[in-house]
Amino acid sequence: MKYEAVIGLEVHIQLKTRSKMFTRVATGFGQPENTLTDPVVLALPGVLPVMNKEALDKIVKAGLLLGCTIAPVCKWDRKNYFYPDSPKNYQISQYDQPICLGGTVEIELPGPSRNVMGEHKLIPLTRIHLEEDVGKLNHFARESLVDYNRAGTPLMEIVSDPAMHSAEEAFAYLTSLRQTMVYGGISDCDMEKGQLRCDANISIRPVGATYLGTKVELKNLNSISFVRDGIAHEIARQIAVVEAGGTLVQETRDYDGQTGASQSLRSKEMAHDYRYFPDPDLMPVKVDEEWKARLLAECPERPFDKQRRFFTQYQVPYTITSVLVPDRALSDFFEAAAQLAPGKAQAVGNWIVNDLLRELGNARLPLAESKVTPAHLAALVQLIEAGTVLTNAAKEIFVEMFASGEKPDVIADRKGLKAAPTDTGELEQWCRDSIAGNAKAVAEFKAGKDSAINALKGPVMKAAKGKANPKLVDETLRRVLAAL
Amino acid sequence: MPSPTDLNIDHVAHLARIALTPEEKTQFAAQLGDVLAYIEQLKTVDIAGIEPTAHAFPIYNVWADDVARPGLPVEAALRNAPAQRDNMIVVPKVVE
Amino acid sequence: MPELFHQPVAALADQLAAKKLSAVELMQAVIARTEAVESRVKAFNSFDAADALARARASDERRAAGQSRGPLDGIPVGLKDVISVAGQPLTASSKMLANFVSPYDATVTRKLKEAGAVCWGRLNLDEFAMGSSTENSAFKTTSNPWDLARVPGGSSGGSAAALAAGEACATLGSDTGGSIRQPAAFCNVVGMKPSYGLVSRYGLIAYASSLDQIGPFGRTVEDAAIVLGAIAGHDPLDSTSFKTEIPDYRAELSKRRGPWKLGVPKEYFGAGLDPEVGAAVQAAIDYYRKLGCEIKEVSLPHTQYAIATYYIIATAECSSNLARFDGIRYGHRSAKANDAIDIYFHSRAEGFGAEVKRRIILGTYVLSSGYYDAYYLRAQKVRTLIRQDFLNAYREVDAILTPTSPVPAFKIGEKSDPLAMYLLDIYTIGVNLAGLPGASIPCGFTRGGLPIGLQIIGRPFQEADLLAIAHAYEQGHAWHTQHPKL
Ligand SMILES: [Mg+2]
Ligand SMILES: [Zn+2]
């Protein structure tokens, strides 16, 4: 029997806001324990929540970027459950009226090889809703210590349909989702900081079947590659259980990315009964067309849309776009430079992908700190195009430009890397004239005094009115002298 | 409407995280049974087409700008804590 | 002239302004009175005399410097022990919070302080404001100053009793289903529940969030108007707070003179109404007629469903609101607990009293899987109908007159059956469900000498009219000038 996996992902993403979801104390990561609290975060007696407008803006933007329907009216519900990381013992969330419905995440599957684009698919979303994060438990031998700094951070839950069928698809889904959210400035999605967290619901069924099998929820998938590995492991485990004649049970399993093994988590509740009801402390939200339009105008182009545009507008190949597009800043850099160097977009792309990224990598610098600007790069490409510098010289200029931030022609002048004059016949004639007029220097040179060649350069430079490429002059003189 | 006898006091007390004594269970089950029987009269109200009221005066879009203000100093945050160490609340180990 | 501690705020304010009285003298008189009668009345969970005197002194200094903040500057105002005052205990009369000290001020507390009032003492209540007699306090049962063997009403029993006994000059309570109006009626003081959203709930320990409102107790309607004016107004910290113009309620009392069209709902005068209470309320209605008001019979046909609706909505909300009292971050933590989950079960079992447990259990049940539609959602729909009843009536009348409570103050320990106690809220609960303003004012005494209250229910956010209507009655009567013999 052949099996296919059915996978749905629940992704929690922290929204990038200054203050918390329902109170105006700062959000943050890595601060001393319990220094980002206030009476509301701690759920002290008597406190009340007040919505964060920026969090609403951000989730609506996220929804617009993913093509969701933004609900004209949504409300807040309380999800009741007891846990020491949850200060109120209920989470303010959205139950039956989430703010975003539907939508899709466009994914790209691995191609047949690295430089060939893979298949694209649209993974449908069920919903996106807004809620608040909980605090953090630190476990010790006999005690757990609670830090509420994270509690109340705005959290967006993105629920996909059970529409993925392989670990690769799940990996591609998360990769694309993360890129899109970072593009939109919605979150930094740093998984090490817990800004993006993923749970996977996985079941298997015989190929061709349409029903849903017994699902297992995989938790604590705390890196994108752990998600891929964990899902692959779980699919294999389920197939093995079924093929051995066993029965799958609906359960929650914990995947350990280090050991590659998973184990069942014993259920803490008899059964989950969250007793959802509308939060009486909060008023519903109405999103009108004007609000949506304003946020839509702030939304950036989505990564795959940008890639398609780069193909047609700049005729750059996949090998370049696949490096540029995942990084919004890098693709913006490219586009700025490409605009300044019309018709030379591919050269611009190559310089970025090969040279700029190499230098940034060596220097361990982010793009934002690059001294090479799009204007510098465009200027360099144009110097090459005009024949003013040759490729090897250009490489040298680039390295210098990266180090000093000077303009490429300044560097070329200073280091004498300009390829001028362009007429090599003329240069050769000036060399011959100089040799003919300086018998003494020629004799000294022939006798082995290498520096004597310098005396021959002056008249050449004079004849070239200073525009001769010194390196070229040197080479030409030596060639002519050698032929004497 | 469900019958008042549906009330499973053990289950509900568990959901509410309250350890009830056997005497409390018996007493509450009887008292709440009376209350639930009284509440049964709501069954007779015709609510067809009636919208629920969550707030007496519905207003929309009540929010604040995203400005971070100073919170509680950690000493004040933990002043009422039953047990604390290293600026954190101590609880017996939570088994995850 | 009555003793200082029995005088209305308005009169005291005049003497303070005229420098015939200092805030310290007033505070000393109130402290002395409290020390004299508190062992019998038991209205306070705690008070801090030194702190109050220091604040009174600061008030005198402001006045001396010509910086008086108005009629409440230097007036001792007692606060129900569910309203947060920074640095003071906040217990909700529960073992759960026996040692809790709040680090922040409620919005009403901040506003009172800004008006110069001295926040005076922590007043007893039914635990977490759940009850109608103040017998559900974990610490003490407050006595009715008019008959120490009787309850002061509840849940704001301490607030009503302290004022009636002269232990404070005005007080604040909270009203979820009648918890200001009913004790006001039982103790012969004025008590007012504002429209839902008029007064910020920030810093009020939530019982039922969609019904709770803070409101004033005063010796006179004018005093209630003064205090309401100080605490009302939009608060950005309470998302349910309403943006509306706050008139000068005190000044409006004499400007708004009627005559008004007043409704009398026939459903409020049926079986269960004590005949003496009914007669007193009828006499009050007749008085309004004499004043030239048009009295109209109105119908509030869904009145009979109010209690059932209330006990679903209020308990559901409370089951969630009280989940935070878990012994983790603050409050009582059981010594019996062996693991983190145990802390919940035992701390809550030990920290909460019987009535609180009952309501949490009921509220948890009505929200639990499979029951939501049958209970909570249905109750919210009936709530819509109850609200519509009132709004329909207001097409014909300016205010509605009813008894506040079907009975006068009952004996401590007399009502042991929870349902029987709940049924006493019949006249006050609809007002909360509909979000309306309601006041109780003294309108007579039983032959046994127990106070009787008249409830006046106003239009949403028309507190100025409501107070003016109440004031018109009070001007022609002297019930409110009578004080209990202690
Ligand atoms: Mg979820
Ligand atoms: Zn979630």
Side-chain angles (χ1 to χ4, degrees), chain C residues 78-90:
Chain C
L79 270 65
K80 187 178 183 178
D81 202 0
V82 274
I83 298 171
S84 184
V85 180
Q88 289 195 15
L90 178 66

Side-chain angles (χ1 to χ4, degrees), chain B residues 2-3 6 10 15-16 27 29 31 42 44 49 59 75 78 88 92:
Chain B
S3 147
D6 280 8
D10 287 311
L15 282 178
Q27 194 191 32
Q31 289 166 332
L42 286 192
T44 63
I59 33 182
E75 314 76 56
L78 301 181
M88 285 183 275

